[in-house]
Amino acid sequence: MYRFLLTRQWVILTLLSLVLIPVMIRLGLWQLHRHESRVAQNDLVASALDAKPVPAESLTSPGHEVTRDQRYHRVTAHGTFDTDHEVVVRRRTNDAEEIGFHVVTPFDLDDGRVLLVNRGWIPANGAQTAFPRIPAPPAGETTVTGRLMPDETTAASGIKNVRGLPPRQIMLISSGQQARSLGKQVLGGFVELTSPAPKDDTPQLISAPDHTGIGPHMAYTVQWWLFAAGVPVGYVILVRREARERRAAAAEQPRPEREPATV
């Protein structure tokens, strides 16, 4: 009764089922890996944000690439803001998704080196070609605290590094680019300012990263594995239904009449 499994249609269906099961298991494992990576990243960010602030010079130096483990680590620095060489980063948004600028101000350290400080967000109220009016940072010697961040790149951010911008406007924050512009040694990466708080809350400080969400990856994992388990169940149901229909069709076939016996 199950000889129909050798037909072309059922051979194809059988092979397709055998392929789908490992593929779906693999997709579930991929989503599980993404879930575990997200949880590990959240733990890493939480650890960095909760860590005691350390001097910026202890984690970065000129030409240094800020590592994944160093990102978001709180650092401090003592020096003075150099507003004469302040730049703004174009097309950045605040928490309300309003478009404006990030304000990046060189911070001259006591040893002559420079730390780039992202002081926060301001609205783009004027012409995009004009340098915006920016509230002044604290004057004189100041101690700043913030989150250490790696240099921004097109590959990591998806933001194209457009050339030919108006003076003192940039698309990506790059310590190397600013070092060439300033003619000074600039510590690798930059700092997102957390204190001192700006006067009248402007520029708006950049919010700490969300490190609580885990995304839908675990749900997708369960979903793919349920699909993988459902394939053989569905296959068996289809086979039994086909066999039942074939038995019913065979039972309805008229039996040939027996010829009368001859004497």
Side-chain angles (χ1 to χ4, degrees), residues 92-221:
R92 297 303 171 99
T93 58
N94 61 0
D95 292 340
E97 298 299 323
E98 299 171 314
I99 297 177
F101 300 97
H102 278 179
V103 179
V104 178
T105 309
F107 191 70
D108 294 332
L109 304 177
D110 296 336
D111 61 6
R113 296 184 296 179
V114 176
L115 175 67
L116 298 180
V117 177
N118 186 342
R119 294 171 50 211
W121 180 91
I122 59 172
N125 293 328
Q128 289 288 314
T129 55
F131 192 77
R133 296 185 62 179
I134 304 172
E141 294 190 355
T142 306
T143 297
V144 298
T145 303
R147 298 180 292 267
L148 183 63
M149 301 293 293
D151 287 332
E152 297 178 339
T153 63
T154 297
S157 67
I159 301 173
K160 186 177 181 181
N161 196 12
V162 179
R163 304 295 180 181
L165 296 176
R168 298 173 66 185
Q169 294 191 23
I170 60 176
M171 295 298 297
L172 298 168
I173 306 175
S174 167
S175 60
Q177 178 182 340
Q178 294 306 307
R180 291 188 293 272
S181 176
L182 295 171
K184 297 181 179 180
Q185 288 189 319
V186 178
L187 303 185
F190 63 97
V191 168
E192 291 179 345
L193 185 69
T194 57
S195 69
K199 186 178 180 180
D200 299 324
D201 293 327
T202 183
Q204 297 176 17
L205 295 180
I206 299 172
S207 299
D210 177 19
H211 55 282
T212 58
I214 59 174
H217 304 300
M218 179 55 74
Y220 290 157
T221 298

